[in-house]
Amino acid sequence: MLHQPTDILPPMPGQRLARGCGRLLRSMNHAVLTEFVPARGLRVDLISLGPKGELWIVECKSGRADFRSDRKWQGYLEWCDRYFWAVDADFPVELLPEDTGLIQADAFGAELVRMGPETRLAGARRTKVQRDFARAAALRLQGLCDPDGISAGAF
């Protein structure tokens, strides 16, 4: 009998960070989605919905070049209550803005180093993001349950 690995790692460094961050957020009772689109032209690495309806966005950066090439991150701030960077232990954290959250992660877990400041979303924006989060989660679940049943649209 062949041994089947039970812990297959994602291929890309950012995906590995996202997996570790997802585990941390889940341990904090947050529901997590990866590769979420809050608005046209924006795609966040992780968004989480906390037990009190709070929305956090986490951007995973695998290195200096990855961070420096990111031109959209400030546009994410208006779509969450708290914003975080997730980086590995070797990342030069002095590059990151001090008024953002910081998570140190690897593929197996993560640690919250600095809590992102809270900037509460307006009610209408919160409702939209929560509704879109719920729809994306439901469509992804449906796609897992019935891969042939999803015929159109990216989720």
Side-chain angles (χ1 to χ4, degrees):
M1 175 193 265
L2 292 174
H3 177 262
Q4 295 293 325
T6 57
D7 204 14
I8 299 172
L9 293 176
M12 304 298 291
Q15 292 171 328
R16 292 179 186 204
L17 293 172
R19 186 176 100 151
C21 283
R23 289 178 174 188
L24 169 69
L25 293 167
R26 186 64 200 111
S27 77
M28 298 169 72
N29 202 21
H30 283 237
V32 180
L33 286 177
T34 59
E35 305 289 324
F36 179 76
V37 177
R40 177 174 282 167
L42 298 178
R43 183 194 44 77
V44 301
D45 293 330
L46 288 171
I47 188 168
S48 73
L49 178 62
K52 295 179 181 176
E54 64 272 29
L55 291 155
W56 293 3
I57 288 177
V58 181
E59 275 300 294
C60 300
K61 295 299 166 197
S62 58
R64 180 185 304 266
D66 186 19
F67 173 73
R68 291 233 162 112
S69 67
D70 188 336
R71 302 281 184 241
K72 295 183 181 179
W73 75 268
Q74 290 178 325
Y76 303 152
L77 300 175
E78 64 190 71
W79 296 96
C80 61
D81 297 309
R82 294 185 192 270
Y83 181 85
F84 298 84
W85 298 103
V87 298
D88 67 17
D90 297 326
F91 188 93
V93 296
E94 64 276 1
L95 294 176
L96 302 173
E98 289 186 19
D99 60 344
T100 56
L102 176 60
I103 297 172
Q104 199 165 53
D106 62 23
F108 302 98
E111 177 184 355
L112 182 58
V113 175
R114 181 176 65 227
M115 180 63 78
E118 184 176 52
T119 306
R120 301 285 296 168
L121 289 174
R125 172 70 51 97
R126 176 177 310 287
T127 299
K128 180 199 180 326
V129 177
Q130 288 174 337
R131 182 187 62 239
D132 292 349
F133 184 103
R135 285 186 47 79
L139 288 168
R140 291 178 189 188
L141 180 59
Q142 182 181 9
L144 287 173
C145 294
D146 183 12
D148 294 332
I150 303 293
S151 59
F155 56 88

